[in-house]
Amino acid sequence: MKLFAAALALSAAFILPAQAQFALDSRFTDADGDLMADVPTEAAELVDPDTLIFTYTPVEDPAVYADVWQGFMDHLAEATGKDVEFFPVQSNAAQLEAMRAGRLHIAGFNTGGNPIAVACAGFRPFAMMAANDGSFGYEMEIIVPADSEAQEIEDLRDGEIAFTQETSNSGFKAPSAILSTEFDMVANEDFTPVFSGSHDTSILGVANGDYPAAAIANSVMTRMIEREVVSPDQIRSIYQSATFPTTGYGTVYNLTPELQEQIRDAFFSFEWEGSALAEEFSASGEEQFIEISFQEDWEVIRQIDEATGVSYSCQ
C-alpha cells in the first residue's frame, strides 16, 4: 500500500535521501528485510502470556479511551482465549519502555513513535484505521486562537510555538522540518518551542489562549470538536501539511506466531458498526482497520526523522 501522493510530494520537497538511516537495535534480526524484528524461531524465546496488555497512543485522558476500546478488547479476548487489559499511558516514552520491558503486548503507537518502537522495542505494526473506501491519514496543522493577529506562519517568528512530544510526527518532527525548510525558521533562534505533552493539551491550550500557536494532528482536533471538548470558533488554522499515515497497531515481536496471527485476525474481523470505536473515530473519517506495510507506508516518516536528526539509539 502506498502513501497518498501528497505525502510523497512532501518528502520530495524536503530534498531528502531516498531512504532514511533506519536500523533495528542489535538484539533484533531482520532476515526478510521488512525493516521489522523477526519473530524468534526458538521456542524458548517466545512468550504466550495468559493476560494480554493493550494500549492506545497517549492522550490527555486515557480513561476515556479505555471505555472506547472496551468492545474491541472483548472481541480480542474472544479471538485469542486470553484476558485483555487496557494499559493507560501518559507519554510515548512510557509506552515504548513498557514494550521494551515485556509489559506491553499489543499497542497503537502514534505516527512519529512507530519507527522508534519498531527499532527499539520490537514492535511489528500491521494495521491502521481507514475510511470505508480504504483511504487513510491525517494532516499536521499549525493552529492559533481564533482572535490571534497571526494570519500566516511568518507572523509566528520571534514568538512561542507549542509542540507535543519529541517523538510525535505531527506534534514535533514534521512541523520542525517544515518550519526549517519552507520558512527558514529554526527553534530557539526564530521562535521559542514549548512542549505540552499531548495533542489534546496543545489544542486545549490554543483554544483557551494559553498557547499563541501549536502544531497538532487535525484528526485529534476533529474528534475533540465532535465531543464538544473545544469549539471550532475558538481555533483557526494557518497551515496544513500533506497527508501522513495515522496510528499504527501491532504486536511485540516475540509473541508466539499463533498468538500474533490470532491478534491480527481480531483486528480485521472486528465489527465496527454500532461500536464505541465507530462513534469515536468516525468523526475523523475512520471506519475500519486495514493492512499496512511499515516498510512502505512509513517511508516518508523515516525520511522526516532523517531530516530532523532523529537517532534510533535504544539506550
Side-chain angles (χ1 to χ4, degrees):
M1 183 182 303
K2 299 295 184 181
L3 282 170
F4 293 136
L8 294 177
L10 174 64
S11 65
F14 284 163
I15 318 178
L16 300 177
Q19 178 66 45
Q21 297 301 309
F22 175 86
L24 297 178
D25 186 66
S26 59
R27 67 193 181 109
F28 303 127
T29 61
D30 179 23
D32 57 7
D34 64 358
L35 303 185
M36 297 189 298
D38 295 332
V39 178
T41 56
E42 298 293 330
E45 297 177 9
L46 295 168
V47 296
D48 188 16
D50 293 330
T51 299
L52 294 171
I53 307 301
F54 168 78
T55 191
Y56 178 58
T57 185
V59 292
E60 178 68 11
D61 186 358
V64 171
Y65 281 87
D67 293 337
V68 167
W69 283 99
Q70 187 58 57
F72 173 80
M73 292 191 298
D74 292 342
H75 174 70
L76 186 59
E78 184 177 352
T80 61
K82 308 279 188 180
D83 292 332
V84 181
E85 293 183 4
F86 187 81
F87 174 45
V89 291
Q90 299 289 346
S91 71
N92 292 317
Q95 187 181 28
L96 178 65
E97 180 54 32
M99 183 164 282
R100 270 179 63 82
R103 301 191 304 271
L104 177 61
H105 308 117
I106 312 165
F109 277 92
N110 67 11
T111 303
N114 250 266
I116 296 172
V118 170
C120 295
F123 181 52
R124 291 175 57 86
F126 58 77
M128 183 194 302
M129 290 184 182
N132 274 334
D133 63 3
S135 61
F136 61 85
Y138 71 97
E139 292 76 42
M140 181 278 293
E141 295 195 32
I142 296 179
I143 59 173
V144 298
D147 60 359
S148 171
E149 294 182 359
Q151 299 296 321
E152 56 187 28
I153 295 297
E154 184 61 33
D155 295 333
L156 303 181
R157 191 177 293 273
D158 299 324
E160 183 181 271
I161 302 176
F163 299 95
T164 59
Q165 302 185 60
E166 291 183 348
T167 56
S168 173
N169 178 63
S170 55
F172 179 68
K173 293 188 287 189
S176 295
I178 288 169
L179 287 167
S180 176
T181 58
E182 292 190 24
F183 300 100
D184 194 27
M185 290 173 59
V186 178
N188 296 312
E189 295 180 12
D190 302 296
F191 63 89
T192 301
V194 296
F195 290 88
S196 71
S198 72
H199 291 278
D200 309 57
T201 305
S202 288
I203 294 163
L204 282 168
V206 169
N208 295 326
D210 298 325
Y211 298 133
I216 55 92
N218 61 7
S219 57
V220 178
M221 183 168 63
T222 298
R223 294 196 296 272
M224 291 178 71
I225 290 172
E226 182 72 16
R227 296 200 310 267
E228 299 183 350
V229 177
V230 296
S231 170
D233 60 12
Q234 294 178 280
I235 296 167
R236 180 162 45 82
S237 177
I238 61 172
Y239 184 91
Q240 181 171 304
S241 75
T243 302
F244 298 113
T246 62
T247 297
Y249 298 88
T251 60
V252 69
Y253 78 109
N254 60 344
L255 296 180
T256 65
E258 295 79 12
L259 182 54
Q260 291 195 49
E261 190 62 29
Q262 289 171 344
I263 294 168
R264 184 187 185 95
D265 289 346
F267 272 85
F268 299 129
S269 63
F270 178 70
E271 179 56 59
W272 277 71
E273 187 173 355
S275 70
L277 278 187
E279 182 178 356
E280 174 67 16
F281 289 98
S282 61
S284 49
E286 294 163 319
E287 303 170 276
Q288 64 171 327
F289 289 111
I290 61 169
E291 189 169 355
I292 59 170
S293 161
F294 173 74
Q295 186 169 18
E296 295 181 5
D297 294 329
W298 258 261
E299 181 178 4
V300 67
I301 306 304
R302 295 193 300 273
Q303 290 178 335
I304 290 172
D305 283 353
E306 174 80 359
T308 53
V310 169
S311 169
Y312 295 105
S313 174
C314 302
Q315 303 303 318

